[in-house]
Amino acid sequence: MHLKSLTLKGFKSFASATTLRFEPGITCVVGPNGSGKSNVLDALSWVMGEQGAKSLRGGKMEDVIFAGAGGRQPLGRAEVTLTIDNNDGALPIEYSEVSITRRIFRDGASEYEINGNSCRLMDIQELLSDSGIGREMHVIVGQGQLGAILESKPEGRRAFIEEAAGVLKHRRRKEKALRKLDAMQANLTRLTDLTAELR
Ligand code: ATP
């Protein structure tokens, strides 16, 4: 599995549609200060499901939409598509190439797609996390993050290791199951009350 391309449209400083193509191996992005190198990484973590505006260096999620610059008007939406080569089947989906798209509009509405089909954010997160990449998987190490890991307390460091080891996915599923169990328990209590009343 490797990242094949990343297309940005109206995302941060990328007002016009821009596609970056990657080959297997190491890719370096070079450019002057403020030219948009970090915006490319922001786009990558955003399309993989990042939900924290602060992690994307903004105040609110809509800040990722091109806000106008160099005489160009602000845009109404931002869109990023990541195409992954899945010839080795690392992603649990029956396609040799997988495209993930995320879109956001100025009113805050969001859309997600896998190979052009609408889906939920959760579907993208699950698809990627099963292969060990994606949001919170520490495949993206941001500026200052290494320092944060080294300086964190033992509990914090444990959380980093758990996430990297893929425990996070199971913790999320466990929390979901516990919430369902709680709801089921409430239904059961209600049913017991009703049965007692009917006797
Ligand atoms: P450095 O080398 O200094 O870290 P960089 O190449 O990583 O810089 P970025 O931080 O990716 O640069 O890009 C910053 C630029 O992106 C700034 O000029 C900023 O104005 C622009 N920018 C960020 N968000 C938006 C937005 N929503 N609309 C338009 N431009 C934006």
Side-chain angles (χ1 to χ4, degrees):
M1 179 181 75
H2 73 269
L3 307 185
K4 278 186 95 169
S5 65
L6 185 71
T7 299
L8 304 90
K9 281 187 210 165
F11 185 91
K12 291 204 167 187
S13 51
F14 293 85
S16 310
T18 307
T19 297
L20 294 106
R21 293 183 210 287
F22 310 112
E23 296 298 327
I26 295 173
T27 300
C28 291
V29 182
V30 290
N33 288 353
S35 59
K37 303 183 294 292
S38 301
N39 292 345
V40 171
L41 274 182
D42 290 342
L44 197 55
S45 65
W46 187 70
V47 74
M48 291 199 294
E50 178 57 61
Q51 286 300 91
K54 280 214 182 88
S55 312
L56 300 160
R57 304 175 300 141
K60 51 185 189 321
M61 200 44 101
E62 294 84 271
D63 290 344
V64 300
I65 304 172
F66 176 71
R72 286 190 74 158
Q73 293 298 309
L75 294 174
R77 68 173 177 178
E79 181 181 309
V80 175
T81 298
L82 171 66
T83 304
I84 301 169
D85 181 302
N86 190 39
N87 273 306
D88 60 359
L91 294 178
I93 187 170
E94 298 280 312
Y95 291 98
S96 55
E97 193 173 284
V98 181
S99 284
I100 294 163
T101 299
R102 180 170 181 180
R103 215 171 278 124
I104 187 169
F105 298 85
R106 281 244 173 252
D107 63 3
S110 286
E111 289 173 0
Y112 304 91
E113 287 168 12
I114 295 176
N115 283 359
N117 298 312
S118 287
C119 66
R120 300 164 304 172
L121 168 65
M122 213 177 93
D123 297 320
I124 292 179
Q125 288 172 338
E126 292 243 352
L127 175 72
L128 295 177
S129 68
D130 276 339
S131 71
I133 63 167
R135 190 183 79 97
E136 293 178 85
M137 292 295 162
H138 294 300
V139 289
I140 296 178
V141 181
Q143 283 172 21
Q145 207 178 351
L146 265 183
I149 295 171
L150 293 173
E151 285 161 21
S152 64
K153 296 200 175 97
E155 312 87 70
R157 211 169 293 167
R158 181 194 159 130
F160 280 121
I161 292 167
E162 278 189 353
E163 284 174 14
V167 177
L168 180 76
K169 174 184 74 185
H170 299 292
R171 199 188 307 138
R172 213 187 279 139
R173 284 179 187 166
K174 182 181 162 193
E175 280 163 11
K176 203 172 142 195
L178 284 174
R179 275 200 303 277
K180 270 192 187 165
L181 264 176
D182 277 350
M184 206 70 86
Q185 190 57 51
N187 282 342
L188 208 61
T189 309
R190 172 107 185 93
L191 203 63
T192 314
D193 288 349
L194 282 174
T195 318
E197 272 174 34
L198 290 173
R199 273 201 193 124

